[in-house]
Amino acid sequence: MFPGPLGISLSGDALTRGTWALEARQIREHGIGRHRSVDDTPAGGGAGMVLRCDVLAAAIDAVVAPDDPRPRLLMSPRGKPLSQARVRALSTGPGAVIVCGRFEGVDERVISARGLEEVSIGDYVLSGGEIAALVLVDACVRLLPGVMGKVASGEDESFESGRLEYPQYTRPREWEGHAIPDILNGGNHGAIAKWREAESERLTRERRPDLLTRRKD
Ligand code: SAH
């Protein structure tokens, strides 16, 4: 699953250049017995299986040195929702150790014992944490210097300013009877900036009024 889609395009090129790196570890290597078992039935009964705390702790301890400065994240629908502000903070930090759950999740004890911070990518349930981790890493990697063509395009986007992005257009000027807004063809950069700001404001008010009052983290 790793680097998966991050192995192509801009993130893939940056991976090849060594702008960022990723080391995927197989939790099953720390599994128990002949079958390298990593999960067991939930205490108290119920459906599904739970990742064992001893197995997960061994997997974490194999990659995290005691003085490792990297935050230890656990992808989890119970976590704090991932935000652009958090992504930006992670992208300027020392990296991250990201634990991906499977099955019904992980034994609660390992979360506190290894200081895992639960991070959610949204209010829906995936079958595993890997795709969530790819989402997080993709969002971080594109902010690293030199990954995107133009640094400026990272700063002008949805959420960076607490607003949704204004509408974008490109050629052709006229398409199926729809023209590009006149103001964008004029070359008056002051007027264009004002129009974009107003459009951002309008779209945010219409679609995500919560962003206008919300803290950014
Ligand atoms: N029973 C759990 C869901 C387990 S889903 C619950 O109800 O909370 C299996 C794994 O997928 C989780 O351990 C987590 O690592 C990952 N996952 C699922 N949905 C996610 C989300 N929205 N954000 C981040 N990780 C998620």
Side-chain angles (χ1 to χ4, degrees), residues 59-205:
I60 293 167
D61 295 346
V63 297
V64 179
D67 59 347
D68 199 317
R70 294 175 297 176
R72 293 184 285 271
L73 313 179
L74 169 66
M75 303 318 295
S76 158
R78 298 191 323 193
K80 184 168 179 185
L82 186 63
S83 66
Q84 189 64 18
R86 180 78 166 119
V87 163
R88 193 163 275 285
L90 284 169
S91 76
T92 54
V97 176
I98 308 174
V99 179
C100 300
R102 273 272 155 183
F103 321 117
E104 286 310 310
V106 311
D107 186 308
E108 189 73 24
R109 291 170 291 178
V110 74
I111 299 176
S112 47
R114 290 299 178 273
L116 303 182
E117 175 193 343
E118 295 179 71
V119 176
S120 168
I121 64 157
D123 291 343
Y124 38 79
V125 180
L126 306 169
S127 50
E130 298 89 344
I131 292 174
L134 288 169
V135 167
L136 186 153
V137 173
D138 178 79
C140 292
V141 163
R142 64 190 289 284
L143 296 180
L144 297 175
V147 172
M148 285 202 303
K150 237 171 132 195
V151 182
S153 59
E155 279 152 18
D156 205 25
E157 285 173 324
S158 292
F159 309 116
E160 289 291 355
S161 56
R163 301 279 186 282
L164 300 179
E165 195 181 57
Y166 46 81
Q168 299 272 19
Y169 300 88
T170 184
R171 279 180 276 271
R173 256 193 192 205
E174 173 114 12
W175 177 72
E176 294 191 348
H178 300 284
I180 291 175
D182 246 356
I183 197 158
L184 299 178
N185 299 317
N188 180 341
H189 297 296
I192 290 172
K194 257 180 119 171
W195 178 85
R196 286 180 167 165
E197 213 180 294
E199 284 294 288
S200 275
E201 190 77 22
R202 178 183 64 79
L203 281 172
T204 310
R205 210 167 288 288

